[in-house]
Amino acid sequence: MSFYTNEDRFSMTAERYLAKHHVLTYMEDSIAQLLENREENPKINPVKILSEYFTALRDGNHTMFREYQFIHMTPHNRASFVKLFWKCYKQIGKKGDLLSIQEYHSLIALLCSDFPFEIVQKTARIILMDDALDCLISFTDFIYAFQTQFYYEEFLDKCLEIYQSMIQTHSSPRNPVVVPSGTEDTKIHMNNHLPGDGVDAMQYFRAVYPLCDRMNYSTPPAEALKEILFNVPRVSFYGFLMAIAKSDAINEHIGRLPVKSELLEGADTEITPIAPVKSKSENTPSDINNSNPVVMVTKPSVQQSQPRSRSVSRSRVSSRGQGHQTHLTVAKTSRKKVISSEESSDDSDDTDDDSDDDE
C-alpha cells in the first residue's frame, strides 16, 4: 500500500471515475484492436481476444511494441512501460554495465520504435551535469530517473516554468527590493543569494503546491514534496528532480518499481505481449507471431578498451574530472528470448540452440 492514499473510488462520481482511470480510452483501444485482427482472421473469438487484452492491461504487459502515442496516453501506460523496461533489461544492472544515453534509447526503441530521444536526454540531465551528458550511467540510476521524467512529464514541465520565473525574479540580487509596510516608511531588503544557488525551498513548495492532485496529469503526493523541500533551505531544479527520483515514498506511490535495494534481486520474469495487439510502428520486429507471440529483446554485450567510467552525478560534482570521456564500444549483441507460456517446448528448443543464454 502506498504511503499516501489516493481519492476513495467509492466517493467519486461515475464521470470522474471514468476520466481518472481512462476507462473509455481502453474500451476504444480494445475494440479497435479486435476489429483490426478480425479483418485478418474472421474466425477469432472476440470474447477471448478482449479477455486477453484486459488481462494484459491489468498485469501491465499491454505496452510492449505499441506506438509512443498509446504508451504516453495514460499514467497506467507510462508506469507499465517503465516496469516493462526494467523487466526486460534488469540483467544489464546485474552485470554492472554502464551505458550511454544513446544506448539506453536504443534499448527503449526495441520496445517502442518511435520513442523520442528527448525524454531520454531529459532523464540524463537529472543524473549528469549538462557538460557531461556523454558519460555513462548505471542501470539503477537511469531507471528511477527515467520513471520520474516519463511519469511526471507535464508536472515537471510546469515546475520548471515556476523555477525559471523565480530565478528571473531574483536575477538582480544586489538590487534593493522595496516592500510596503503599510506606513510611509519602507523596508529595504538585500538578497545575498545568487541565481546559481537555486531558490528558497519553502517558497518553491508554496508555488508548486497548487499543481498537486490535478486530473489532467500525474503529480507526486503533496506530502512527499513537503518532505523533500522542507529539509533544505534552498534547492536547484535538478536537485529537486533528483530528490523525487530517489524518494521511496514517491516510487511506492507510482507502484511499479521495487525499492533500490531490491531492484536487481529475483529471477527474470517471462513477459508475454497481448496476442491481438499490433504495433503501428514500422520497425516492429518481423519475427513476432501474434498468434503465438515470442518477444525478441536485443541486449548489448559491451567491451571496454579503457577503465570503466562512472556516472557523473549531480551529488558527486566535486569529484568530476577530465577522465570521464570514456567511450563504450559495442562488441556484439546477444538475443534474449522471452517465451510465451502457450508456446510449445519444441519451438523453444529450436530457437535456443543458436543463441547464448546470458541468464
Side-chain angles (χ1 to χ4, degrees), residues 213-321:
D213 197 24
R214 295 291 184 92
M215 274 289 295
N216 51 343
Y217 55 81
S218 301
T219 65
E223 288 298 320
L225 296 180
K226 184 176 179 181
E227 291 176 3
I228 292 172
L229 295 174
F230 279 33
N231 290 326
V232 292
R234 301 183 69 80
V235 64
S236 68
F237 180 68
Y238 288 106
F240 174 65
L241 297 188
M242 178 58 77
I244 293 178
K246 291 183 175 181
S247 172
D248 290 336
I250 293 178
N251 179 58
E252 188 170 350
H253 177 76
I254 297 174
R256 294 301 187 278
L257 298 179
V259 295
K260 187 175 182 179
S261 60
E262 301 175 1
L263 184 71
L264 305 178
E265 295 180 358
D268 293 340
T269 307
E270 293 185 355
I271 305 171
T272 305
I274 317 172
V277 173
K278 298 171 59 179
S279 174
K280 297 179 182 178
S281 306
E282 296 179 356
N283 296 327
T284 301
S286 59
D287 45 6
I288 298 175
N289 184 351
N290 283 328
S291 62
N292 194 9
V294 179
V295 182
M296 304 296 295
V297 179
T298 303
K299 183 170 56 180
S301 176
V302 296
Q303 181 179 3
Q304 298 167 330
S305 57
Q306 301 181 21
R308 177 177 294 170
S309 172
R310 295 185 60 83
S311 302
V312 182
S313 172
R314 295 179 180 274
S315 61
R316 299 194 295 269
V317 176
S318 59
S319 63
R320 179 166 58 89

Side-chain angles (χ1 to χ4, degrees), residues 55-327:
T55 298
L57 177 65
R58 178 200 64 194
D59 297 338
N61 298 330
H62 63 298
T63 59
M64 180 172 285
F65 304 134
R66 293 301 303 268
E67 62 277 6
Y68 174 74
Q69 181 181 4
F70 176 76
I71 294 173
H72 188 264
M73 192 174 295
T74 71
H76 177 67
N77 288 0
R78 298 186 195 188
S80 298
F81 186 77
V82 172
K83 183 178 180 179
L84 175 66
F85 179 84
W86 165 59
K87 284 184 175 181
C88 287
Y89 302 120
K90 183 168 62 173
Q91 197 64 230
I92 295 176
K94 289 183 177 180
K95 291 184 176 181
D97 292 332
L98 305 179
L99 305 182
S100 67
I101 58 175
Q102 290 80 9
E103 288 167 327
Y104 278 116
H105 180 250
S106 297
L107 294 176
I108 292 174
L110 292 175
L111 304 175
C112 174
S113 61
D114 61 339
F115 197 94
F117 178 71
E118 181 184 4
I119 295 180
V120 182
Q121 196 172 38
K122 287 182 178 180
T123 298
R125 286 197 176 99
I126 300 177
I127 307 168
L128 304 174
M129 302 296 293
D130 289 336
D131 59 348
L133 293 182
D134 58 342
C135 291
L136 309 182
I137 307 174
S138 71
F139 180 80
T140 301
D141 288 342
F142 179 83
I143 190 68
Y144 289 110
F146 177 60
Q147 174 179 248
T148 298
Q149 178 60 51
F150 189 42
Y151 190 77
Y152 293 124
E153 182 179 6
E154 295 83 359
F155 171 76
L156 299 183
D157 287 343
K158 293 185 180 298
C159 287
L160 178 58
E161 293 177 6
I162 293 174
Y163 182 85
Q164 291 175 338
S165 176
M166 295 178 67
I167 287 292
Q168 291 175 1
T169 301
H170 298 85
S171 60
S172 300
R174 305 266 190 263
N175 295 336
V177 179
V178 179
V179 181
S181 62
T183 65
E184 296 180 356
D185 299 331
T186 59
K187 296 181 180 179
I188 299 179
H189 298 268
M190 297 297 293
N191 188 342
N192 295 322
H193 291 282
L194 296 174
D197 297 336
V199 298
D200 183 272
M202 294 285 289
Q203 292 181 2
Y204 191 56
F205 174 77
R206 287 194 290 267
V208 168
Y209 179 78
L211 300 177
C212 297
D213 197 24
R214 295 291 184 92
M215 274 289 295
N216 51 343
Y217 55 81
S218 301
T219 65
E223 288 298 320
L225 296 180
K226 184 176 179 181
E227 291 176 3
I228 292 172
L229 295 174
F230 279 33
N231 290 326
V232 292
R234 301 183 69 80
V235 64
S236 68
F237 180 68
Y238 288 106
F240 174 65
L241 297 188
M242 178 58 77
I244 293 178
K246 291 183 175 181
S247 172
D248 290 336
I250 293 178
N251 179 58
E252 188 170 350
H253 177 76
I254 297 174
R256 294 301 187 278
L257 298 179
V259 295
K260 187 175 182 179
S261 60
E262 301 175 1
L263 184 71
L264 305 178
E265 295 180 358
D268 293 340
T269 307
E270 293 185 355
I271 305 171
T272 305
I274 317 172
V277 173
K278 298 171 59 179
S279 174
K280 297 179 182 178
S281 306
E282 296 179 356
N283 296 327
T284 301
S286 59
D287 45 6
I288 298 175
N289 184 351
N290 283 328
S291 62
N292 194 9
V294 179
V295 182
M296 304 296 295
V297 179
T298 303
K299 183 170 56 180
S301 176
V302 296
Q303 181 179 3
Q304 298 167 330
S305 57
Q306 301 181 21
R308 177 177 294 170
S309 172
R310 295 185 60 83
S311 302
V312 182
S313 172
R314 295 179 180 274
S315 61
R316 299 194 295 269
V317 176
S318 59
S319 63
R320 179 166 58 89
Q322 298 297 326
H324 292 284
Q325 302 299 325
T326 304
H327 295 283

